[in-house]
Amino acid sequence: MMPPKGREHCQGLPPDILSDLHDNVIDVILMCLPCKDAVRTSVLSRKWKYHWCRLAKWKFDESLWSTQKDKLYPTVKFRKTVYQLLTHHEGPITKFKLDITDLKECPKIDNFLYFLSRKDIQHLVLHLPQKKDELYKLPSSIFICSQLRHLNIHYCSIHYHPSACEGFDSLVSLELCRVMISSELLGHLISHCPLLEKLVLKIAKTLNVTEINAPMLRSFEFTGSVSSIRLKNVPLLAKVSLICENSSMEAEKFDYAKFFQFCFALEHLFLNFRYSQFFADEAPTRLPFYLNRVKHLHLSHVELKESYTRSCALCLIRSFPHLEYLKIEVYNEADSGIQESLELERFSDVTFNHLREVEIISFRGTTPEMQLIKILLAKSPVLVKMYIDPAILIDTGSEILAELVNFQRASPEAEIDVEYYGKLELNRVETNVDGVV
């Protein structure tokens, strides 16, 4: 039995702290909890019982209905969870993420999407099951979510006539990953999102030509058949990432000079060379136009030992006179012993006047790699750092390092940092650099 002083002390305690919290404080606490735990707070007190029903941000995934003792089929548990939300929720739902990629089949979500469309949904993420034979057909109710600002959809098909799609007047970002959609509908959808700033497309199958008409677009990431895309009206586009996916394992022939001719605001460019042939004919010395705003260039899967690929890479580097950062991920098997030489005389008209940092990834010390490094050092008067990351520990590492140290360089501040070997002190040999890109 509690002593008298203990009882008096207990009776003097303040009222229940949890029940006295302001509503906005409870809302903040609930938003920091996983959905399942947020619902469980209903047992804390009478005031907390239905507070979770007013949450504006939700994430539904396997953790909500999967337990070790679960005897119900996952789809059934999903339906029960959704029904509970539909029955009890009050107020708007501004952000909702549905991640059911691990389910063997996709439950019907048509009514649920219609419910969200009436809840002022602004940020919607749908990651549906990854079924190869049949993708879930996205219901038309998605198009009546008039306040959507961010839409992210994975693994579904969108089959509607373009006239049935009115677009999204407030949409800022759109991501479609492994989605089946016609070129006509995709182009129509993009052109009817007047505020669209970010577009990510990872298309499952080859499209017919799709025109990108997005006057506010600033960032574009595309994975698929690059030849199916035309950048038509993108005056603000500053960041582009292109990855060619070709299931036939044959290089895709496409004229990249035409692709970028209207990208006057481009600043950041990532290109994956795998399966890509960048020009319809022989690679030119440089593009027929300058992209003066490009400052960051990242080239991936570059086979420098292959003459055509090497020419494409050099063409792009030459075409960006204000380039500041260059990253090249080399794809090499072994030194091919090529006869064609990249001597400095061939670059007498070139100076990389703004290049400050260079990264060479998967370096093996092959002849083409060494020649490229030599050119960049000799033609970059403001270069600060060249970082080299070897693919493996090179047997002839000491010989290669000695050769790098003796390369002429245009910048007295330039340093070479080789992973596993540290920074190299360059010999103080200056070069006379004439000409401008």
Side-chain angles (χ1 to χ4, degrees), residues 212-224:
I212 307 297
N213 183 1
M216 300 298 291
L217 191 66
R218 298 178 183 275
S219 175
F220 178 47
E221 299 177 30
F222 182 80
T223 301

Side-chain angles (χ1 to χ4, degrees), residues 238-241 265-271 291-299 316-317 320-328 354-357 359:
K239 186 175 182 180
V240 172
S241 172
L266 189 63
E267 296 182 7
H268 298 256
L269 177 60
F270 171 82
L271 293 177
L291 293 174
N292 293 322
R293 293 192 178 185
V294 175
K295 297 179 180 180
H296 294 254
L297 177 61
H298 182 177
L299 305 178
L316 292 171
I317 297 172
F320 306 137
H322 291 84
L323 192 65
E324 296 180 3
Y325 172 80
L326 173 64
K327 180 176 182 179
I328 298 179
H354 301 272
L355 189 61
R356 297 181 58 82
E357 186 173 343
E359 284 191 63

